[in-house]
Amino acid sequence: MIEPVELPSPWRDARLTVVVPTYNEAGNLPVLVERLLSLPLPGLKVLVADDNSPDGTGEVADKLAIEHPDRVQVVHRAGKEGLGRAYVDGIGRALDGGAEYVAQMDADLSHPPEALPGMLGALLSTQASVVIGSRYVPGGELDENWPLYRRALSGWANLYVHTLLRVRIRDLTAGFKIWRADALRDIGLERVQSNGYSFQVEMHYLATKLGHTILEVPIRFEERRDGDSKMTTATKVESALMPFKLRTRHRNLER
């Protein structure tokens, strides 16, 4: 586990909301929230967007919100509508709640929370609109326990999307990042239509089309600690078709 960077004031006091979509993450969520709230970022809040998890994740999240009433918020969604819809809902609520910066991360502990202060520092010290915790820039790592087929699928997906969309990001499918609030408002969440993992690609594509600067910093990506992957055949199909839809849907979009 890396040691979090100590940021100077006023950077450390920035209003940062971490949006965490959940579906059947009852075992991982308390660990993640504990690690997030222990970071040297007193302005950090956690917003859990739960898709009515049958394993009781929503109830676990409610208990965490009671324990940390000023720092943990829970959004209970009607059902499993996909990662993209959960993020759009959660990010919209974070912006309405006054967040200056909004982070995205998975609940399965594959993204190191301790990297957030350094990512925030990189965002605040540059003109970037978003900082991505990247597996594929120099210094980035993949857990040696990550299955070979997942490595191959991730590498192929990035090559495939690069070829079709020409977006200059090494980790196009990355789900760990921090956005400036004004960049998210400029992109417009109402434009985003992806349901599954292709949400990440659509957000990167929109940011690029609108001229936003995207910065990638290296992270170590860990294998999930508990539970099962949410990657399904349907999400793979959506991800394969999405680049073609994006080129058509946003062909006239520019700043």
Side-chain angles (χ1 to χ4, degrees):
M1 187 182 298
I2 65 172
E3 288 295 322
V5 172
E6 291 276 354
L7 297 177
S9 294
W11 288 5
R12 68 189 306 272
D13 302 313
R15 297 194 305 275
L16 170 66
T17 297
V18 182
V19 177
V20 183
T22 57
Y23 187 78
N24 287 352
E25 298 288 358
N28 290 320
L29 186 62
V31 179
L32 175 63
V33 170
E34 180 183 0
R35 287 170 64 180
L36 284 170
L37 297 185
S38 68
L39 294 174
L41 296 172
L44 182 149
K45 295 184 179 181
V46 181
L47 190 154
V48 178
D50 184 66
D51 276 5
N52 197 22
S53 299
D55 75 339
T57 302
E59 289 79 3
V60 171
D62 285 337
K63 291 179 182 178
L64 292 167
I66 292 171
E67 293 172 9
H68 310 281
D70 298 325
R71 302 193 70 186
V72 178
Q73 177 185 355
V74 185
V75 176
H76 293 283
R77 293 165 43 76
K80 191 176 182 182
E81 298 177 6
L83 183 73
R85 295 302 91 199
Y87 263 131
V88 167
D89 192 352
I91 292 172
R93 291 171 187 261
L95 294 175
D96 290 343
E100 299 175 293
Y101 308 95
V102 179
Q104 298 175 226
M105 68 186 306
D106 293 345
D108 61 7
L109 303 177
S110 58
H111 299 145
E114 292 75 20
L116 280 172
M119 290 169 63
L120 180 60
L123 186 72
L124 292 171
S125 61
T126 66
Q127 298 300 310
S129 294
V130 57
V131 169
I132 296 172
S134 176
R135 300 163 286 186
Y136 301 129
V137 294
E141 296 181 68
L142 286 171
D143 190 324
E144 56 274 6
N145 294 318
W146 215 39
L148 182 59
Y149 81 92
R150 291 289 304 277
R151 291 171 181 261
L153 179 62
S154 176
W156 176 85
N158 273 280
L159 177 62
Y160 175 77
V161 176
H162 271 294
T163 302
L164 291 174
L165 298 182
R166 306 293 183 184
V167 178
R168 297 174 64 87
I169 303 173
R170 294 201 182 198
D171 198 346
L172 267 166
T173 59
F176 187 31
K177 65 201 79 168
I178 302 179
W179 295 88
R180 293 183 187 269
D182 57 358
L184 289 168
R185 293 190 180 98
D186 184 48
I187 288 170
L189 295 175
E190 70 281 355
R191 288 195 178 105
V192 181
Q193 298 184 27
S194 301
N195 292 326
Y197 290 88
S198 57
F199 168 83
Q200 313 294 2
V201 173
E202 184 167 12
M203 289 293 286
H204 295 152
Y205 185 63
L206 287 168
T208 300
K209 289 278 284 184
L210 290 168
H212 288 281
T213 300
I214 299 171
L215 177 65
E216 292 182 85
V217 299
I219 63 160
R220 175 178 169 82
F221 183 88
E222 301 284 350
E223 174 65 304
R224 70 161 40 247
R225 304 291 178 85
D226 186 39
D228 300 315
S229 171
K230 309 304 186 298
M231 182 72 72
T232 65
T233 300
T235 60
K236 292 175 185 176
V237 171
E238 184 200 22
S239 297
L241 295 176
M242 186 54 61
F244 296 99
K245 295 180 179 180
L246 292 179
R247 289 196 306 186
T248 301
R249 183 185 302 156
H250 303 305
R251 62 181 178 274
N252 296 322
L253 181 65
E254 59 184 23
R255 184 174 291 280

